[in-house]
């Protein structure tokens, strides 16, 4: 009996030693893992952009929560497969869009169109100074005496805006619907003289507000089409000045101030800061307030906040009066 008790104590001591060794080893391994990650400058979680903290005073009461992205009048769940990008209408291999107002031109810009006596909204042919490239653009003549060249339009989610650098450079979409005129075209238009920018925002109650900037132009592609804005005035609130001086970022070309790529989080291309107070090329959500892990809707933080996706948006330029 004494021999059995002695043997039990021997086994107990050996097990305790092994258990202590195992705990020490685990602690050592954990310490080594943490030291290694700190040396590499990594964190346990990947960096994510800060959420927009602006809380709007008024949010329309008839909006609904949704996880749907509306494209071509059909609803797709966020994680489902979507259709491919809309064909680029700016190339010569595509027929011109229907509804072009006149065969006159080409014109320098839409202000030139207005001065030539055309007062109907619609598509016109433009050609900028020192360029042989023709541009199809939508001219807005019913707003503030007309003459506005539309650079971007969102209204129904029919066009995918989560695109690469080349697409954003050349332009995409449908001129009589959702489209992006192209960074190269915007650069060439704005360098012809002194232009101002008008941003038109519409919420889901049908209310429209405006943000106007006293000057607007872009740096060349070699500078990342850096944004240059003047002073703000309007009733939408200023959510764009924080992007002033920033280069354009797309899913395949990261030029923003954030450690990650803002285009990946916000699902668009834009003059992101880190990542900014506006995302007008984001996902078109139906209904206004939306649920998403990241703020990837079409938002203007000063008007609705980061989780209110606007119904329609237009960016327009016109020569300074």
């Amino acid at each position: 009996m004494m021999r059995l008790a002695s043997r039990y104590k021997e086994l107990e001591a050996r097990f305790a030693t092994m258990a202590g060794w195992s705990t020490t080893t685990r602690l050592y391994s954990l310490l080594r893992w943490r030291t290694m990650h700190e040396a590499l400058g990594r964190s346990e979680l990947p960096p994510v952009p800060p959420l927009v903290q602006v809380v709007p005073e008024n949010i329309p009461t008839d909006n609904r929560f949704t996880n749907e992205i509306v494209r071509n009048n059909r609803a797709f769940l966020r994680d489902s497969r979507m259709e491919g990008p809309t064909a680029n209408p700016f190339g010569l291999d595509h027929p011109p869009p229907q509804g072009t107002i006149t065969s006159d031109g080409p014109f320098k810009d839409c202000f030139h169109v207005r001065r030539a006596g055309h007062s109907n909204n619609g598509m016109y042919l433009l050609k900028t100074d020192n360029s042989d490239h023709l541009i199809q653009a939508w001219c807005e003549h019913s707003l503030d005496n007309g003459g506005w060249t539309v650079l971007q339009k969102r209204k129904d989610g029919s066009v995918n805006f989560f695109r690469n650098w080349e697409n954003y450079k050349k332009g995409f979409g449908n001129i009589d619907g959702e489209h992006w005129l192209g960074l190269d075209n915007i650069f060439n238009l704005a360098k012809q003289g002194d232009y101002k920018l008008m941003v038109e925002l519409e919420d889901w109650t049908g209310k429209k507000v405006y943000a106007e900037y006293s000057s607007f132009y872009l740096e060349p592609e070699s500078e990342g089409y850096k944004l240059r804005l003047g002073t703000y005035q309007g009733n939408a609130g200023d959510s764009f000045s924080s992007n002033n001086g920033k280069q354009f970022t797309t899913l395949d070309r990261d030029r923003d101030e954030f450690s990650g790529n803002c285009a990946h989080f916000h699902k668009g291309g834009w003059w992101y800061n880190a990542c900014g107070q506006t995302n007008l090329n984001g996902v078109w959500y139906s209904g206004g307030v939306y649920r998403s892990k990241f703020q990837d809707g079409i938002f203007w933080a000063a008007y609705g906040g980061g989780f209110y996706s606007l119904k329609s948006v237009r960016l327009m330029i016109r020569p300074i009066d």
Side-chain angles (χ1 to χ4, degrees), residues 51-318:
L51 297 180
V52 171
Q53 298 300 319
V54 174
V55 179
E57 294 182 1
N58 298 300
I59 295 180
T61 58
D62 63 342
N63 58 72
R64 60 186 176 85
F65 286 96
T66 177
N67 274 346
E68 295 179 349
I69 303 169
V70 177
R71 302 190 187 283
N72 298 325
N73 298 321
R74 290 175 294 175
F76 290 81
L77 295 178
R78 282 186 51 80
D79 296 327
S80 65
R81 184 176 180 179
M82 302 178 197
E83 294 179 351
T86 305
N88 185 348
F90 299 88
L92 297 177
D93 54 333
H94 295 283
Q98 300 298 313
T100 302
I101 298 298
T102 177
S103 59
D104 295 350
F107 302 94
K108 177 179 178 179
D109 55 25
C110 289
F111 187 72
H112 185 199
V113 172
R114 187 71 180 88
R115 293 184 65 182
H118 301 286
S119 59
N120 292 324
N121 297 335
M123 289 170 283
Y124 294 84
L125 201 60
L126 309 181
K127 187 173 80 68
T128 58
D129 293 341
N130 303 316
S131 173
D132 295 326
H133 177 63
L134 298 177
I135 306 170
Q136 291 174 345
W138 186 272
C139 294
E140 172 59 54
H141 297 308
S142 60
L143 177 67
D144 190 26
N145 298 318
W148 294 97
T149 304
V150 178
L151 308 180
Q152 179 254 34
K153 184 176 183 180
R154 307 298 303 276
K155 68 171 189 173
D156 56 16
S158 59
V159 174
N160 177 15
F161 275 68
F162 190 32
R163 295 179 179 244
N164 61 22
W165 181 267
E166 195 64 19
N167 280 188
Y168 269 101
K169 176 183 176 179
K170 292 183 177 179
F172 55 85
N174 307 298
I175 298 301
D176 54 348
E178 290 203 332
H179 69 279
W180 174 260
L181 195 60
L183 289 164
D184 210 39
N185 292 331
I186 296 171
F187 166 73
N188 287 322
L189 280 165
K191 76 175 183 179
Q192 297 182 114
D194 297 324
Y195 286 81
K196 60 183 177 181
L197 174 71
M198 176 77 78
V199 182
E200 178 188 74
L201 311 172
E202 181 185 8
D203 66 27
W204 285 87
T205 66
K207 180 182 178 181
K208 291 184 179 180
V209 293
Y210 298 88
E212 184 176 307
Y213 294 86
S214 60
S215 63
F216 169 86
Y217 69 93
L218 301 182
E219 301 282 359
E221 184 179 14
S222 60
E223 296 296 321
Y225 294 112
K226 190 177 294 183
L227 176 67
R228 298 298 184 186
L229 287 176
T231 57
Y232 160 83
Q233 67 174 8
N235 61 350
D238 183 13
S239 290
F240 209 11
S241 290
S242 62
N243 302 83
N244 191 23
K246 305 308 176 185
Q247 299 184 61
F248 203 85
T249 287
T250 59
L251 62 91
D252 61 340
R253 194 166 300 192
D254 184 4
R255 296 175 179 267
D256 56 55
E257 301 295 322
F258 181 59
S259 57
N261 186 330
C262 293
H264 289 174
F265 294 103
H266 290 314
K267 303 298 186 294
W270 199 245
W271 296 277
Y272 293 114
N273 188 340
C275 287
Q277 301 292 303
T278 179
N279 188 43
L280 301 188
N281 285 337
V283 178
W284 191 89
Y285 287 102
S286 175
V289 177
Y290 65 97
R291 289 191 181 119
S292 178
K293 184 177 181 180
F294 304 109
Q295 291 174 323
D296 55 7
I298 302 172
F299 69 82
W300 186 270
Y303 188 72
F307 281 108
Y308 185 88
S309 191
L310 295 158
K311 182 179 181 181
S312 70
V313 172
R314 290 194 298 179
L315 301 181
M316 301 170 279
I317 60 171
R318 187 177 72 183

